[in-house]
Amino acid sequence: MTTIPDSMRVSVLHAPTDIRIEERPVPTPRPDEVLVQVASVGVCGSDVHYYEHGRIGDFVVNDPLILGHEPSGRIVAVGADVPSERIGQRVSLEPGVPCRHCSQCRRGAYNLCPDIVFFATPPVDGAFSEYVALAADFAYPVPDSMSDDAAALIEPLSVGVWANRKAGTAAGSRLLVTGAGPVGLLVMQVAKAMGAAEVVVSDVDPDRLALARQLGATAVLDPREASPAESGIEVDAFVDCSGAAPAVATGIPVVRGGGAVVLVGMGGEEMTLPISLVQTRELSLTGTFRYANTWPAAIALAANGDVDLDSLVTGHVDLEHAEDSLAPDGAAKHVKIVVRPNGLA
Amino acid sequence: MTTIPDSMRVSVLHAPTDIRIEERPVPTPRPDEVLVQVASVGVCGSDVHYYEHGRIGDFVVNDPLILGHEPSGRIVAVGADVPSERIGQRVSLEPGVPCRHCSQCRRGAYNLCPDIVFFATPPVDGAFSEYVALAADFAYPVPDSMSDDAAALIEPLSVGVWANRKAGTAAGSRLLVTGAGPVGLLVMQVAKAMGAAEVVVSDVDPDRLALARQLGATAVLDPREASPAESGIEVDAFVDCSGAAPAVATGIPVVRGGGAVVLVGMGGEEMTLPISLVQTRELSLTGTFRYANTWPAAIALAANGDVDLDSLVTGHVDLEHAEDSLAPDGAAKHVKIVVRPNGLA
Amino acid sequence: MTTIPDSMRVSVLHAPTDIRIEERPVPTPRPDEVLVQVASVGVCGSDVHYYEHGRIGDFVVNDPLILGHEPSGRIVAVGADVPSERIGQRVSLEPGVPCRHCSQCRRGAYNLCPDIVFFATPPVDGAFSEYVALAADFAYPVPDSMSDDAAALIEPLSVGVWANRKAGTAAGSRLLVTGAGPVGLLVMQVAKAMGAAEVVVSDVDPDRLALARQLGATAVLDPREASPAESGIEVDAFVDCSGAAPAVATGIPVVRGGGAVVLVGMGGEEMTLPISLVQTRELSLTGTFRYANTWPAAIALAANGDVDLDSLVTGHVDLEHAEDSLAPDGAAKHVKIVVRPNGLA
Amino acid sequence: MTTIPDSMRVSVLHAPTDIRIEERPVPTPRPDEVLVQVASVGVCGSDVHYYEHGRIGDFVVNDPLILGHEPSGRIVAVGADVPSERIGQRVSLEPGVPCRHCSQCRRGAYNLCPDIVFFATPPVDGAFSEYVALAADFAYPVPDSMSDDAAALIEPLSVGVWANRKAGTAAGSRLLVTGAGPVGLLVMQVAKAMGAAEVVVSDVDPDRLALARQLGATAVLDPREASPAESGIEVDAFVDCSGAAPAVATGIPVVRGGGAVVLVGMGGEEMTLPISLVQTRELSLTGTFRYANTWPAAIALAANGDVDLDSLVTGHVDLEHAEDSLAPDGAAKHVKIVVRPNGLA
């Protein structure tokens, strides 16, 4: 069994572009928690945004903050109420633990819990850290065949599962996905895994479109060459993963009557929409905010090979070089960078 | 049995504000149709709009058009495939007959049928006419206890039923309804009839707010005095019946996470929305376009006394004076005017 | 503020028909709990069954058990994590607190939690007791206008709300409810409050049928005179509240294609069903097990006067006479008896 | 263009085991119909049952009947309202055309239409015939890459799609499928194509279990060796494709709380079910009756290679030997036999 040290190294954001390696006490798991030695942590656009700007909307980094909310690892200790058999399990971590008492939690929409404690969201620390403690039911065992990186990327895959649930994706569905970053590519892969007939991916970056094709998109689209409408497509659901107003405005007109519009990418506070189309076609427009009850499905999709997570990882850094993964010029050339808090090994 | 004449009087819109009484042949019902002697026709805001402007969006009155799409009457003849027992039935007419063959029709969303034939929508004539022919399954018997006016107003009541279905109204629901015209008042009444706990109605007209209260609203709101947010309400669903952008923008922030936003009132082509709220709260935003499969429920609500339709009628005119009901200054002082093509009786 | 004594009187079932009044320590609320001085407790058929037989299916009264799971009362103390403002609130208690961690809890189906702690279900004590402690979020404030008895009967009313949710009751629905006991009468009342067009209640007891009529049933039926099919009805949903195999078997044939069958009444382990009807009509058959997320809606329905709870109460007893409410001959002549642990007052 | 003859050969069932080849006039398509030269017709268990017994339940072969309801072919003529461009299309035929006017049709549940005209269901003739006429919207184009046999087997594949819709199959679902005949194998394949994590197939025939494995079942089960419960599985949905009461009774106990039970296989009129399990776990039990709105999805699944139809075909016969495909001893050794009314080609 692993010997657990008293202190650990963490990567702390003090101010925009000011990241420091520090020493912190290793947390003691509460009765319903597990202590996890972190293996891999995916770097997300929101981590990059906090690093650059020190805030995302109303969430402001006023105090030093540990980033990272896509972690995997191994359970090394358990709280009093958790079976000790869990020690040693390789796990993927769902990084937000809700209050479990409010009406949103009780109706199953725990992602909307106003008191959720979510990694790397001020003032809650994240996982760029050698160890983290988390509620035991939010640490999910993964099969041996799944890599640590893939176990970490169950988090963005969950975003893809959730978006497809909102989109009503089913066997035979036709989708438009705008934005071929990690989330868009995962939305597309999940749609295919759910039996979608057509998944058209739109982006302005030819490399990302090539990757989309390679991972299963049935068609790709550069909106500078032809808008979705000009491409002649009609879809049952449109999932925006770009957050760009023009992408949303040009995507909506190709959704069939009664279809779905799901806004995953975050843009500004307001957006101007072709609302009479939404009305006369009775489109259902919604957004996604994290996810709920997605981990088991996401793990199954990755374990079965229905979704390819490892191909999305284009770089690794250790904790000391986490900052490299956050600097925009470094991040831009990657699909997904993974931080390894306990070493690259 | 009624003797059916060869010709009938109709009220025809030739150009904006140019309405003429003309003589037309009485239609012969096709095999699957009934011929109805029209009793009452509610006047809708869209009729007023066509009268004033000669168009609504892409629908343009290029050729002479008979207005009126909220009719009731009595079956006086039937097509070859319709049982003759139906002759004599008092009926409420659902004024749009779909193609029955397209994918929208076949999945039950016939209101989204691209080939629907809908009364008083260019180039299809409406019901300001002594007689109309319609598919037999779109002419619904009403009980003797229901007035001709109420049977006509099953149409706007259906809009209210449909809006509440989209809103997910259920026992205990809390709603905000903006706009206390006939549709807003009916959305409110239906919500109450479905067991809603709270229905707050917002309007700037104190008379309409008073009527809202009288018909069952649990609270009313003048947005010039306090916005919904300032009023401290939180709702499960927000139904806009005003089409006004400020009403929509100030209504959305009081919807709880996971709640519904239903846009019934038509405004312009585009609308600027607080989209990050829609996303972070995962609100479901949609519109309504007419209705589908609502007549039986609407008739039951009116017949049971759960909804009061007769109180909405504030004036009657005969066919010769239909124009009075369409002139905006006349229309403005009314909640709902009813045209009686066969005389005021 | 109420002075809380150290000990309290409780009514304890030791063995079938062996009920004794005993003295127990008043419980100390845990951090997330409230302590409630019990006002009214409805007596349920399951209480009667435990009293007579000492078991219900696999649930066996091996150790002394306090019965009663339909309680109302007043908060007299709170745990460390509960705002002290709650002291003094009159509350209705939802009598089952789930684990909040399992997959059923997390998806919102907490009534299916295998570790739920439910009042008066061995080995968990119930509310025939002067005081009870319960999770604060399962104690719901009620308005002053609601009686203590009505606040207690929110529990069976919740059964009625849940059954109607399972039945898909909506505006215009037609239902058959078999069994006009308290639950059947409440299922009927909730259906009416949700806008049902027709609710036919079936029972063999003419007094109960008369009460059903008085409380709003649109028709009543004595199955010994005419089966549902012989009565010529067709319904969208059939809710059995009798648990009697013949009621179920004769109810199913009157459900329209695609309709719902909801089995609320518990009968034996097995039941023979007309399964080819279920198949060829694609009926959805399910049962109800308690309820989830029903209290707010139920309180609203009762507070708005949509459902009449007080009329169901036909007798009161104090704690010392709780046994009178459990003896079958006493219970049979009542619709609903209420126990008042702190005195009849 | 094909020259259409005046008469055609058909295979007619006159009485149990009495099949004769006859000459009939080629039908003339009505205005909304197409005329199809039949290429392949799958033989279904119901065809075999009519051949042996002359009836299925209330459907009795009183007059000579043409069997076969799983046809594909090529459009050779069109009715007046159908675009002539459709001539030449290779099509899969959905073999039941509903009335389009009743409440079931109008709500999208056209499979429950009481007036549906369905191939090979007395008194409606089927497709063991050189030509058939059918409503144009029920003849779906298939891609060139799809074989005639696969185009025919879109019909049983639709049964599989429909069953999975009823089962609520989604990414990550776990299913038990009892009965590994063509329908069971297709239910399994569709579940896998929709992202199911686990699909356990149960049958007593080792060859069918081997085929199930080959086509993607994650596990197989011989119930004579171990019941589902003894196998230690838990599933989200259980789909019975056997119609056998013991299969249903032993399958239900492994369904998790809130899960689905879908009865596809037809057994007797009545069945004894473990009803208290259905109740206390709130299982949703339903059956399937044909399908609605499944063809586009089914064609997409087959065209994408998500489902393998050609591997199910184990034999072909021409029209003269159709009887060989219906004799039980011939049928038993096959998974799926295909009749080729226009020759084996």
Side-chain angles (χ1 to χ4, degrees):
Chain A
M1 193 175 299
T2 313
T3 305
I4 304 166
D6 290 336
S7 73
M8 62 181 185
R9 286 170 311 128
V10 299
S11 164
V12 184
L13 179 70
H14 281 260
T17 74
D18 176 7
I19 287 251
R20 309 175 199 168
I21 299 293
E22 299 182 357
E23 202 78 6
R24 292 266 179 93
V26 170
T28 302
R30 285 180 297 192
D32 70 344
E33 287 189 333
V34 293
L35 181 70
V36 173
Q37 186 178 31
V38 180
S40 292
V41 190
V43 177
C44 173
S46 67
D47 296 313
V48 174
H49 201 279
Y50 279 124
Y51 173 78
E52 281 192 82
H53 303 289
R55 68 185 300 160
I56 295 179
D58 296 340
F59 292 103
V60 182
V61 181
N62 290 317
D63 296 303
L65 181 77
I66 301 174
L67 294 173
H69 62 269
E70 304 178 356
S72 68
R74 197 166 53 86
I75 295 177
V76 292
V78 297
D81 297 344
V82 180
S84 59
E85 287 74 16
R86 295 208 59 184
I87 295 176
Q89 279 184 345
R90 296 178 61 244
V91 287
S92 172
L93 302 188
E94 180 173 353
V97 179
C99 82
R100 307 180 195 266
H101 289 72
C102 71
S103 61
Q104 298 286 9
C105 283
R106 285 179 46 183
R107 75 182 182 93
Y110 65 77
N111 58 316
L112 303 178
C113 170
D115 295 321
I116 195 167
V117 174
F118 200 95
F119 274 17
T121 304
V124 180
D125 281 329
F128 288 173
S129 174
E130 288 181 309
Y131 295 89
V132 295
L134 191 78
D137 55 328
F138 283 72
Y140 302 80
V142 295
D144 289 346
S145 58
M146 187 180 291
S147 71
D148 288 334
D149 289 357
L153 298 195
I154 294 297
E155 201 275 351
L157 176 53
S158 279
V159 175
V161 169
W162 191 240
N164 276 284
R165 287 189 191 161
K166 296 279 182 184
T169 303
S173 292
R174 303 160 301 164
L175 284 90
L176 169 65
V177 178
T178 49
V183 167
L185 292 170
L186 287 167
V187 168
M188 177 273 291
Q189 286 194 69
V190 172
K192 293 281 295 178
M194 293 170 79
E198 300 171 28
V199 189
V200 180
V201 175
S202 162
D203 203 302
V204 295
D205 180 334
D207 291 343
R208 297 207 158 183
L209 292 183
L211 183 56
R213 274 238 182 250
Q214 173 193 323
L215 292 170
T218 56
V220 298
L221 190 66
D222 183 333
R224 296 169 308 186
E225 293 169 8
S227 72
E230 288 162 354
S231 304
I233 60 173
E234 183 190 63
V235 298
D236 301 299
F238 159 42
V239 182
D240 175 66
C241 301
S242 74
V248 175
T250 57
I252 289 175
V254 300
V255 184
R256 65 143 171 97
V261 177
V262 182
L263 305 182
V264 177
M266 296 297 294
E269 288 290 301
E270 296 190 328
M271 193 178 278
T272 300
L273 296 176
I275 202 71
S276 71
L277 269 185
V278 171
Q279 292 181 284
T280 56
R281 291 193 192 164
E282 294 194 342
L283 305 181
S284 294
L285 183 150
T286 191
T288 62
F289 186 66
R290 297 163 180 166
Y291 31 67
N293 300 307
T294 50
W295 249 253
I299 290 173
L301 289 173
N304 286 352
D306 287 330
V307 169
D308 178 359
L309 293 172
D310 290 304
S311 290
L312 299 181
V313 179
T314 51
H316 291 91
V317 292
D318 59 17
L319 201 61
E320 284 69 20
H321 295 82
E323 188 162 8
D324 299 349
S325 71
L326 297 164
D329 56 337
K333 64 186 176 194
H334 282 281
V335 179
K336 182 63 89 176
I337 310 181
V338 165
V339 175
R340 299 269 205 174
N342 283 281
L344 288 177
Chain B
M1 193 176 299
T2 312
T3 304
I4 304 166
D6 291 334
S7 73
M8 63 181 186
R9 286 170 311 128
V10 299
S11 164
V12 184
L13 179 70
H14 281 259
T17 75
D18 176 7
I19 286 250
R20 308 176 199 167
I21 298 293
E22 299 181 357
E23 202 79 6
R24 292 264 180 96
V26 170
T28 302
R30 285 180 297 191
D32 70 342
E33 289 190 330
V34 293
L35 181 69
V36 173
Q37 186 178 29
V38 179
S40 293
V41 190
V43 176
C44 172
S46 66
D47 296 314
V48 173
H49 202 279
Y50 279 124
Y51 173 78
E52 282 192 81
H53 303 288
R55 70 185 299 160
I56 295 178
D58 295 340
F59 291 104
V60 181
V61 181
N62 290 316
D63 295 302
L65 181 76
I66 300 174
L67 293 173
H69 63 269
E70 304 178 356
S72 69
R74 195 167 54 86
I75 294 178
V76 292
V78 296
D81 297 344
V82 180
S84 59
E85 287 75 18
R86 296 208 59 184
I87 295 176
Q89 279 184 346
R90 294 177 62 244
V91 286
S92 172
L93 302 189
E94 180 172 355
V97 179
C99 82
R100 308 182 194 266
H101 289 72
C102 71
S103 61
Q104 298 286 10
C105 282
R106 283 180 47 184
R107 74 181 182 94
Y110 64 77
N111 57 317
L112 303 178
C113 169
D115 295 322
I116 195 167
V117 174
F118 200 95
F119 275 15
T121 305
V124 180
D125 281 328
F128 287 174
S129 174
E130 288 181 307
Y131 295 89
V132 294
L134 191 77
D137 56 326
F138 283 72
Y140 301 81
V142 296
D144 289 345
S145 57
M146 187 180 291
S147 71
D148 288 333
D149 288 356
L153 298 195
I154 294 298
E155 201 275 351
L157 177 52
S158 279
V159 175
V161 169
W162 191 240
N164 276 285
R165 287 190 190 160
K166 295 279 181 183
T169 304
S173 292
R174 303 160 300 162
L175 284 90
L176 168 65
V177 178
T178 48
V183 167
L185 293 170
L186 287 167
V187 168
M188 178 273 289
Q189 286 195 67
V190 173
K192 292 282 294 178
M194 293 171 78
E198 300 171 27
V199 188
V200 180
V201 174
S202 163
D203 202 302
V204 296
D205 180 334
D207 290 343
R208 297 206 158 184
L209 292 182
L211 183 56
R213 273 240 184 250
Q214 173 194 323
L215 292 171
T218 56
V220 298
L221 191 66
D222 182 333
R224 295 168 309 184
E225 293 169 8
S227 73
E230 288 162 354
S231 304
I233 60 172
E234 182 189 63
V235 298
D236 301 299
F238 159 42
V239 182
D240 175 67
C241 302
S242 76
V248 175
T250 57
I252 288 175
V254 300
V255 184
R256 64 139 170 99
V261 177
V262 182
L263 305 182
V264 177
M266 297 296 294
E269 288 290 301
E270 297 190 327
M271 193 179 276
T272 300
L273 296 176
I275 202 71
S276 71
L277 269 185
V278 171
Q279 292 180 284
T280 56
R281 290 193 191 164
E282 294 193 341
L283 305 182
S284 293
L285 183 149
T286 192
T288 61
F289 186 67
R290 299 164 179 167
Y291 31 66
N293 299 308
T294 50
W295 249 253
I299 290 174
L301 289 173
N304 285 353
D306 286 331
V307 169
D308 178 358
L309 293 172
D310 290 305
S311 291
L312 299 181
V313 179
T314 50
H316 292 89
V317 291
D318 59 17
L319 200 61
E320 283 69 19
H321 295 83
E323 189 163 6
D324 298 349
S325 70
L326 297 165
D329 56 337
K333 63 187 178 195
H334 282 282
V335 179
K336 182 62 91 175
I337 310 180
V338 166
V339 175
R340 300 268 205 175
N342 283 280
L344 288 176
Chain C
M1 191 176 301
T2 313
T3 305
I4 304 167
D6 291 334
S7 74
M8 62 182 186
R9 287 171 309 128
V10 298
S11 163
V12 184
L13 179 70
H14 281 259
T17 75
D18 175 8
I19 287 250
R20 308 176 199 166
I21 299 292
E22 298 181 359
E23 202 79 7
R24 292 268 178 92
V26 170
T28 301
R30 284 179 299 190
D32 69 343
E33 287 189 333
V34 293
L35 182 69
V36 173
Q37 186 178 30
V38 180
S40 292
V41 191
V43 177
C44 173
S46 66
D47 296 313
V48 174
H49 201 279
Y50 279 124
Y51 173 78
E52 282 191 83
H53 303 288
R55 69 184 302 159
I56 296 180
D58 295 340
F59 292 103
V60 182
V61 181
N62 290 316
D63 296 302
L65 181 76
I66 301 175
L67 293 173
H69 62 270
E70 304 178 355
S72 69
R74 197 166 54 87
I75 295 177
V76 293
V78 297
D81 297 344
V82 181
S84 59
E85 287 74 17
R86 295 208 59 183
I87 296 175
Q89 279 184 346
R90 296 178 60 244
V91 288
S92 172
L93 302 189
E94 180 172 354
V97 178
C99 82
R100 307 179 194 267
H101 289 72
C102 70
S103 61
Q104 298 286 11
C105 283
R106 283 180 48 183
R107 74 181 183 95
Y110 64 76
N111 57 317
L112 303 178
C113 170
D115 294 321
I116 195 166
V117 175
F118 201 95
F119 275 15
T121 306
V124 181
D125 280 329
F128 287 172
S129 174
E130 288 181 306
Y131 295 88
V132 294
L134 191 77
D137 55 327
F138 283 72
Y140 301 81
V142 295
D144 289 345
S145 57
M146 187 181 290
S147 71
D148 287 334
D149 288 357
L153 298 195
I154 295 297
E155 201 274 351
L157 176 53
S158 279
V159 175
V161 169
W162 192 240
N164 276 285
R165 287 188 189 160
K166 295 280 181 185
T169 303
S173 292
R174 303 160 300 164
L175 284 90
L176 169 66
V177 178
T178 48
V183 167
L185 293 170
L186 287 167
V187 168
M188 178 273 290
Q189 286 195 68
V190 172
K192 292 282 295 179
M194 293 171 80
E198 300 170 28
V199 189
V200 180
V201 174
S202 162
D203 203 302
V204 296
D205 181 332
D207 291 343
R208 296 206 158 184
L209 291 183
L211 183 56
R213 274 239 182 248
Q214 173 194 324
L215 292 170
T218 56
V220 297
L221 191 65
D222 182 333
R224 296 169 306 184
E225 293 168 9
S227 73
E230 288 162 352
S231 304
I233 60 172
E234 182 189 63
V235 298
D236 301 299
F238 159 42
V239 181
D240 176 66
C241 302
S242 74
V248 174
T250 58
I252 288 175
V254 299
V255 184
R256 63 138 172 101
V261 178
V262 182
L263 305 182
V264 178
M266 296 297 293
E269 287 291 301
E270 296 190 328
M271 193 178 278
T272 300
L273 296 176
I275 203 70
S276 71
L277 268 186
V278 171
Q279 292 181 282
T280 56
R281 291 192 191 165
E282 293 193 343
L283 305 181
S284 293
L285 183 150
T286 192
T288 62
F289 186 67
R290 297 163 180 166
Y291 31 66
N293 300 307
T294 49
W295 249 254
I299 290 173
L301 289 174
N304 286 352
D306 286 331
V307 169
D308 178 359
L309 292 172
D310 290 304
S311 290
L312 300 180
V313 179
T314 50
H316 292 89
V317 291
D318 60 17
L319 201 60
E320 284 69 19
H321 296 82
E323 189 163 6
D324 298 348
S325 71
L326 297 164
D329 55 337
K333 64 187 176 194
H334 282 282
V335 179
K336 182 62 92 174
I337 310 180
V338 166
V339 175
R340 300 268 207 176
N342 282 280
L344 288 177
Chain D
M1 191 175 299
T2 313
T3 304
I4 304 165
D6 290 335
S7 73
M8 62 181 186
R9 285 170 311 127
V10 299
S11 163
V12 184
L13 179 69
H14 282 259
T17 76
D18 175 8
I19 287 249
R20 308 176 199 167
I21 299 293
E22 300 182 357
E23 202 79 7
R24 292 268 179 95
V26 171
T28 302
R30 284 180 297 191
D32 70 342
E33 288 189 333
V34 294
L35 181 70
V36 173
Q37 186 178 30
V38 179
S40 293
V41 190
V43 177
C44 172
S46 66
D47 296 313
V48 174
H49 202 279
Y50 279 124
Y51 173 79
E52 282 192 82
H53 303 288
R55 69 186 300 160
I56 296 179
D58 295 340
F59 291 103
V60 182
V61 181
N62 290 317
D63 296 302
L65 181 77
I66 300 174
L67 294 173
H69 62 269
E70 304 178 356
S72 68
R74 196 167 53 88
I75 295 178
V76 291
V78 298
D81 297 344
V82 181
S84 59
E85 287 73 17
R86 296 207 59 184
I87 295 176
Q89 280 183 347
R90 295 178 62 244
V91 288
S92 172
L93 302 189
E94 179 172 354
V97 179
C99 82
R100 308 181 195 264
H101 289 72
C102 71
S103 63
Q104 298 286 10
C105 284
R106 283 179 48 182
R107 75 182 182 92
Y110 64 77
N111 57 318
L112 302 178
C113 169
D115 295 322
I116 195 167
V117 174
F118 200 95
F119 275 15
T121 305
V124 181
D125 281 328
F128 287 173
S129 174
E130 288 181 306
Y131 295 88
V132 294
L134 191 78
D137 55 327
F138 283 72
Y140 302 80
V142 296
D144 289 345
S145 57
M146 187 179 292
S147 71
D148 287 333
D149 288 356
L153 299 194
I154 294 296
E155 201 274 350
L157 176 52
S158 279
V159 175
V161 169
W162 192 240
N164 276 284
R165 287 189 190 160
K166 295 279 181 184
T169 304
S173 292
R174 303 161 300 164
L175 284 88
L176 169 65
V177 178
T178 49
V183 166
L185 292 170
L186 287 167
V187 168
M188 178 274 289
Q189 285 195 68
V190 173
K192 293 283 293 178
M194 293 171 79
E198 299 170 28
V199 188
V200 180
V201 174
S202 164
D203 203 301
V204 295
D205 180 334
D207 291 342
R208 297 206 157 185
L209 291 182
L211 183 56
R213 274 240 183 249
Q214 173 194 323
L215 291 171
T218 57
V220 298
L221 192 66
D222 182 333
R224 296 168 308 184
E225 293 170 8
S227 72
E230 289 162 354
S231 305
I233 61 171
E234 182 190 62
V235 298
D236 301 299
F238 159 42
V239 181
D240 175 67
C241 302
S242 75
V248 175
T250 58
I252 289 176
V254 300
V255 184
R256 65 143 170 96
V261 178
V262 181
L263 305 182
V264 177
M266 298 297 294
E269 288 290 301
E270 296 191 328
M271 193 179 276
T272 299
L273 296 176
I275 203 70
S276 72
L277 268 186
V278 171
Q279 292 181 283
T280 57
R281 291 193 192 165
E282 294 194 343
L283 305 182
S284 293
L285 183 150
T286 191
T288 61
F289 185 66
R290 299 164 179 166
Y291 31 66
N293 300 307
T294 50
W295 249 253
I299 290 174
L301 289 173
N304 287 352
D306 287 330
V307 170
D308 178 359
L309 293 172
D310 290 303
S311 290
L312 300 181
V313 179
T314 50
H316 291 90
V317 291
D318 59 17
L319 200 61
E320 283 68 21
H321 296 83
E323 187 162 8
D324 298 349
S325 70
L326 297 165
D329 56 337
K333 65 186 175 194
H334 282 282
V335 179
K336 181 63 90 175
I337 310 180
V338 166
V339 174
R340 300 268 205 174
N342 282 280
L344 288 176

